[in-house]
Amino acid sequence: MDNNILLTQSISLKNLGIENATIHYQLSADELHEKTIQSGQGIESSTGALAINTGEFTGRSPQDRFIVKDSITQDKVWWGNVNIPFEPATFDALYTKVTAYLSEKEIFVRDTYVCADPNYRLNVRVVTETAWANLFCFNMFLRPEIEELENFTPEWTVICVPSFLANPAVDGTRQGNFAILNFTRKIALIGGTGYTGEMKKGIFSALNFILPVFKNTLPMHCSANVGDDGDTAIFFGLSGTGKTTLSADPTRKLIGDDEHGWTNENTVFNFEGGCYAKVVNLTEENEPDIFRAIKKGAILENVVFKKGTNQADYSDVSITPNTRVSYPIYHIDNIQPGSIGENPKNIFFLTADSFGILPPISKLTPGQAAYHFISGYTAKVAGTEAGVTEPQPNFSACFGAPFMPLHPTKYAEMLSKKMKDANVKVWLINTGWTGGAYGTGSRMKLKYTRAMITAALNGELDNVEYVNHTVFGIAKPQSCPNVPSEILNPRNTWENPELYDKKAIELGQKFKANFAKFEEFANPEIMAGAPVV
């Protein structure tokens, strides 16, 4: 992108309340990379990527995410500990403080947009305090052409100021950091945290309200890719279940790795222009696409270098296990032009079940699909926190509860209708443990998971024998090309099958306990998808 034309163009942020700031507008990726290094805020790694540290926060802070409760949101948002209400007047006062704080400072401004489908495009202006946060938005949001900038009108604004700390007693926050969405003023206001994912997920949360409420389009926390025949596959899953890894398939073109919309026209489009992948224990052998994307233009977050070098040590989690890379989608070779797919044929729900109970692949009925979608199950492994010795179930409605402003059943009903209308097959994939729980069994081999997904996509599981799981009722294929048949029935992989039965019932009970809060909103078909315990 040639930016010379733009650098002479001065833009005013007076309409945002920011006065006399030194504004760097629409700098190129190279310029932002250089500015970060010059300011001492980043180091160039051996592969050319920019390595930065996000500071105190190395992940999102869900308890500090708020939505302004006003005439647009008060009756539609599912208020509670995920969507925490914030008063309009309190927002206005805090916003004024933040913009006054930015006045007369050096700031970086970027015009971008989200939603690759032109019918759903949303223009976004990003104002950041650091060059590297602006580079993150260059990577993650969609990049307008130079000529589009002349008459660019932002619909939403993201303002991100890590060095500004709120005063909870006055500003209505829980602590110094905050991420607040205001649907009337169309602002995502972020302060006190340098974690870049707050900007990405702020806009995602906004779209998760705007698209279903105003555009009758289903927003999804998923990855998606397209086969040679033009069939689209959708992969739902929480962090660490393989969403990014499994959608990067050498035989299929990537639409995107994290956030998509499914339209009334039965198309699937990427919200974003980049990928934000975990890099913990990354190897070229296991994840070649991601490994090779870490070059000039990419940003490594909270990664530790090997001693005395600028070479990343992906096994070192001394800063955080949530080490990340962001890169523009064109760093991946095999991408779908325009980031839009048609004709969704298969949906995969990914779970990393560290209890070792769920089959590595199973086929779901529409009722089971809705039930598992609302449940959004995966399990945290033991050892990640002091005192955690057993795996912990982690239920996140719609595989993305922290980003869903509406009630989960709203999204589930939209998904159910779309699945039926498009005659989509739904599969539950366990990328977690086999042969026992975490600590006893082992992680499912990636090559087997890939083989199961390939078989499902190619229709090779359409005419095989299925047996229903005794607790979950889901249909387990009894054979699959390039996969040892003994691993398809998890009970057979346990040394003690009776212990498996006991633990399967316990997990089924955990599902039912979690679902209790949704029961009054769920129809009989969805309730029929529950485990039998």
Side-chain angles (χ1 to χ4, degrees):
M1 200 188 260
D2 176 18
N3 277 35
N4 295 337
I5 316 155
L6 290 171
L7 293 179
T8 57
Q9 181 184 332
S10 64
I11 66 159
S12 167
L13 297 181
K14 274 191 176 151
N15 65 320
L16 297 178
I18 299 170
E19 309 227 16
N20 305 319
T22 304
I23 298 170
H24 298 286
Y25 176 65
Q26 217 72 5
L27 296 194
S28 69
D30 284 354
E31 288 166 325
L32 293 165
H33 178 105
E34 290 308 320
K35 273 211 169 288
T36 303
I37 290 169
Q38 284 162 10
S39 67
Q41 294 178 345
I43 301 168
E44 189 170 299
S45 79
S46 59
T47 63
L50 179 66
I52 58 102
N53 192 312
T54 61
E56 181 190 350
F57 291 93
T58 58
R60 286 177 301 98
S61 186
Q63 290 173 286
D64 301 295
R65 171 190 173 275
F66 305 92
I67 295 177
V68 174
K69 191 172 190 175
D70 56 25
S71 59
I72 294 176
T73 57
Q74 63 186 17
D75 297 332
K76 291 192 173 73
V77 167
W78 190 40
W79 302 105
N81 58 2
V82 169
N83 300 303
I84 307 163
F86 206 82
E87 286 301 316
T90 314
F91 176 89
D92 293 344
L94 179 56
Y95 177 86
T96 302
K97 275 189 186 178
V98 173
T99 51
Y101 178 84
L102 285 177
S103 295
E104 303 194 10
K105 281 196 166 50
E106 180 180 35
I107 56 176
F108 298 84
V109 179
R110 159 151 260 103
D111 284 338
T112 67
Y113 66 100
V114 289
C115 300
D117 186 327
N119 298 325
Y120 299 88
R121 174 172 169 159
L122 184 82
N123 284 349
V124 179
R125 175 165 287 173
V126 183
V127 179
T128 64
E129 186 180 19
T130 63
W132 50 265
N134 208 268
L135 178 57
F136 175 85
C137 294
F138 172 86
N139 286 349
M140 294 311 302
F141 297 146
L142 289 152
R143 297 160 282 275
E145 299 296 333
I146 287 279
E147 51 274 15
E148 293 180 88
L149 293 169
E150 233 170 285
N151 302 307
F152 188 93
T153 309
E155 193 171 337
W156 270 73
T157 304
V158 176
I159 299 177
C160 179
V161 194
S163 71
F164 178 94
L165 293 173
N167 174 354
V170 179
D171 298 325
T173 58
R174 185 180 73 103
Q175 50 185 30
N177 62 301
F178 53 88
I180 312 171
L181 288 179
N182 187 322
F183 283 92
T184 297
R185 294 184 63 176
K186 299 184 177 179
I187 293 167
L189 185 66
I190 299 159
T193 170
Y195 183 63
T196 53
E198 294 284 14
M199 294 183 286
K200 166 186 156 68
K201 290 305 188 197
I203 287 296
F204 183 45
S205 298
L207 290 170
N208 287 333
F209 183 87
I210 294 163
L211 290 175
V213 171
F214 301 114
K215 309 267 189 177
N216 199 19
T217 285
L218 173 67
M220 303 179 290
H221 187 216
C222 68
S223 57
N225 61 26
V226 182
D228 290 340
D229 298 339
D231 64 296
T232 295
I234 296 168
F235 300 80
F236 285 96
L238 297 172
S239 190
T241 57
K243 208 161 65 284
T244 300
T245 304
L246 292 167
S247 58
D249 179 334
T251 66
R252 296 173 68 84
K253 289 187 164 62
L254 182 71
I255 300 174
D257 81 326
D258 195 48
E259 304 172 5
H260 294 81
W262 188 349
T263 69
N264 272 351
E265 300 80 41
N266 203 28
T267 61
V268 172
F269 65 87
N270 194 352
F271 290 172
E272 303 184 292
C275 301
Y276 191 41
K278 285 193 163 209
V279 293
V280 61
N281 297 323
L282 179 71
T283 62
E284 187 167 16
E285 184 191 6
N286 271 353
E287 303 188 56
D289 286 343
I290 297 169
F291 191 90
R292 290 171 201 150
I294 303 175
K295 55 190 180 186
K296 184 86 180 272
I299 309 173
L300 287 166
E301 291 183 6
N302 304 313
V303 166
V304 179
F305 287 153
K306 290 175 181 166
K307 205 169 179 178
T309 74
N310 65 341
Q311 198 180 339
D313 180 354
Y314 296 123
S315 66
D316 189 324
V317 292
S318 54
I319 296 176
T320 175
N322 188 33
T323 49
R324 295 263 179 179
V325 63
S326 74
Y327 49 84
I329 198 165
Y330 54 73
H331 277 201
I332 299 266
D333 293 333
N334 202 19
I335 55 173
Q336 172 75 345
S339 297
I340 302 176
E342 298 177 347
N343 199 19
K345 282 284 172 237
N346 289 277
I347 293 175
F348 298 94
F349 293 161
L350 307 174
T351 178
D353 175 25
S354 52
F355 293 98
I357 298 301
L358 293 174
I361 182 166
S362 47
K363 199 174 184 181
L364 306 184
T365 64
Q368 288 168 340
Y371 186 90
H372 282 271
F373 180 68
I374 294 170
S375 297
Y377 165 73
T378 192
K380 291 176 180 170
V381 296
T384 49
E385 290 165 39
V388 176
T389 52
E390 286 276 305
Q392 300 286 328
N394 180 23
F395 294 99
S396 184
C398 310
F399 296 98
F403 327 117
M404 301 292 167
L406 307 180
H407 193 281
T409 52
K410 289 271 191 292
Y411 303 104
E413 282 161 12
M414 288 181 86
L415 181 70
S416 277
K417 184 176 184 322
K418 286 188 175 297
M419 283 176 349
K420 288 174 186 170
D421 291 350
N423 195 20
V424 176
K425 293 179 196 133
V426 186
W427 310 86
L428 182 65
I429 302 282
N430 177 13
T431 64
W433 272 254
T434 178
Y438 173 83
T440 307
S442 57
R443 189 89 195 242
M444 182 60 61
K445 284 192 165 73
L446 183 59
K447 68 175 181 182
Y448 292 156
T449 302
R450 285 197 189 279
M452 290 179 246
I453 287 172
T454 300
L457 290 169
N458 294 344
E460 293 170 303
L461 299 181
D462 291 355
N463 300 310
V464 300
E465 183 195 350
Y466 283 85
V467 173
N468 286 353
H469 190 277
T470 50
V471 173
F472 285 88
I474 51 188
K476 303 173 292 180
Q478 295 303 288
S479 60
C480 175
N482 303 313
V483 178
S485 52
E486 58 269 21
I487 69 166
L488 296 172
N489 294 292
R491 187 176 190 268
N492 298 351
T493 67
W494 281 49
E495 214 164 287
N496 180 344
E498 287 71 34
L499 181 62
Y500 173 86
D501 295 339
K502 178 172 170 270
K503 293 292 183 185
I505 289 166
E506 284 175 16
L507 183 61
Q509 285 164 337
K510 290 182 169 95
F511 266 81
K512 293 192 94 155
N514 168 71
F515 207 87
K517 59 182 172 285
F518 304 120
E519 281 182 7
E520 61 178 299
F521 306 98
N523 63 33
E525 182 184 37
I526 295 175
M527 291 313 299
V532 182
V533 285

